[in-house]
Amino acid sequence: MKKICTLFIMLLCAHATFAQEMLGIANSNYAGTNGLSLNPSSMVDSRLEIDVNLITLGVSGDNDYLYFSKDSIKPFGFKHILDLAGNRGYTDKFDLGNKDKQYNAGIYSTVKGPSAIFHIKKHWIGLATQVRGVASLSSVGAPIAKFAYEKDGLKFHPLQNQLFDDSKFDIAAMLWGEIGISYGHEILNKGKNYLKGALTIKRLYGYGRSEEHTSELQSHSDLVCRLLLEKK
């Protein structure tokens, strides 16, 4: 049970971001190799004549249970957000009157290896390597999320001496690698009209996958819990 609750905390405490990593730079005119995954045509007519990447690391996450209140966030200062997270400065959305509500969470990681974009006249070419991983929780019952969030865990007093019969929820994780080559070119460049396009071909390498599907979860807050898992 402790291992399961630890996984809940890791996923549910993920900071709220978008599922697509590095959106800030991937949409930039100077995205370079970082824009290939989202939009390979971004390299065409790039402000960078050539871009070479040795290694890039990225981690992001999202959830619909924990959040930072608007008043607690400063306009500038990433360290402030890290301090808030470290000191449990976030708030949960648990509602005692709505224990049937379900929540979801996910963590996404990327390690980009040697990559490059360059052009020969108006022909743009991109080469990219990366390893990606995802982990997700879906349809987690409100009582389970609350027990994982609280420091007291299953001893959280407002939920004591109650029987919870939660619906099925899923835990999944996957790790894979990618090697890709992209080609891009201008399609139309006339006056105020400009159109460009690109094509990417990737070779994928599956390293591992794990899924856990609950068939039944009944718990009573006197610290008795029964969990049946079906491995798929």
Side-chain angles (χ1 to χ4, degrees):
M1 187 64 189
K2 289 183 179 180
K3 292 182 179 180
I4 295 173
C5 288
T6 300
L7 180 58
F8 288 159
I9 293 172
M10 289 174 61
L11 291 177
L12 292 174
C13 291
H15 308 320
T17 60
F18 294 96
Q20 177 62 51
E21 302 93 340
M22 304 180 184
L23 278 178
I25 190 172
N27 288 303
S28 167
N29 289 328
Y30 296 89
T33 58
N34 290 309
L36 291 176
S37 296
L38 181 64
N39 180 13
S41 68
S42 63
M43 67 178 174
V44 180
D45 195 33
S46 170
R47 303 300 188 272
L48 303 173
E49 292 291 319
I50 184 172
D51 182 40
V52 177
N53 175 79
L54 296 180
I55 187 169
T56 299
L57 307 177
V59 178
S60 62
D62 60 53
N63 80 98
D64 54 8
Y65 181 67
L66 299 179
Y67 67 97
F68 293 106
S69 65
K70 181 177 64 175
D71 296 335
S72 67
I73 301 297
K74 295 181 180 180
F76 302 98
F78 184 69
K79 184 178 182 300
H80 174 66
I81 297 178
L82 292 178
D83 290 340
L84 281 176
N87 296 322
R88 294 176 62 89
Y90 39 78
T91 305
D92 69 332
K93 293 184 178 181
F94 181 75
D95 180 4
L96 277 172
N98 187 12
K99 299 190 201 59
D100 294 330
K101 188 173 178 60
Q102 296 178 335
Y103 299 96
N104 308 279
I107 291 179
Y108 319 92
S109 61
T110 299
V111 179
K112 295 187 177 182
S115 307
I117 64 167
F118 59 94
H119 69 101
I120 302 173
K121 295 184 178 180
K122 293 187 177 182
H123 302 275
W124 289 81
I125 299 172
L127 303 171
T129 62
Q130 62 179 336
V131 175
R132 305 183 67 182
V134 298
S136 67
L137 273 171
S138 58
S139 303
V140 178
I144 299 176
K146 186 63 173 177
F147 285 139
Y149 166 73
E150 291 295 332
K151 290 183 178 180
D152 294 335
L154 294 174
K155 296 181 181 179
F156 179 62
H157 182 71
L159 296 180
Q160 288 295 296
N161 300 314
Q162 300 181 47
L163 179 64
F164 304 109
D165 191 356
D166 293 287
S167 60
K168 299 179 181 180
F169 67 89
D170 301 321
I171 307 173
M174 184 166 59
L175 181 69
W176 73 98
E178 301 178 359
I179 297 178
I181 181 170
S182 303
Y183 170 78
H185 196 276
E186 290 182 352
I187 299 175
L188 175 65
N189 187 359
K190 186 176 181 180
K192 296 182 178 180
N193 301 311
Y194 183 77
L195 180 65
K196 59 184 179 180
L199 175 69
T200 296
I201 299 176
K202 288 184 177 181
R203 173 70 165 91
L204 303 181
Y205 300 88
Y207 298 136
R209 183 193 73 168
S210 177
E211 295 183 23
E212 299 291 340
H213 303 275
T214 63
S215 59
E216 181 184 5
L217 175 61
Q218 291 183 330
S219 60
H220 194 278
S221 52
D222 59 1
L223 306 189
V224 176
C225 181
R226 180 160 60 94
L227 177 63
L228 301 178
L229 295 178
E230 295 178 345
K231 291 187 177 181
K232 181 179 179 181

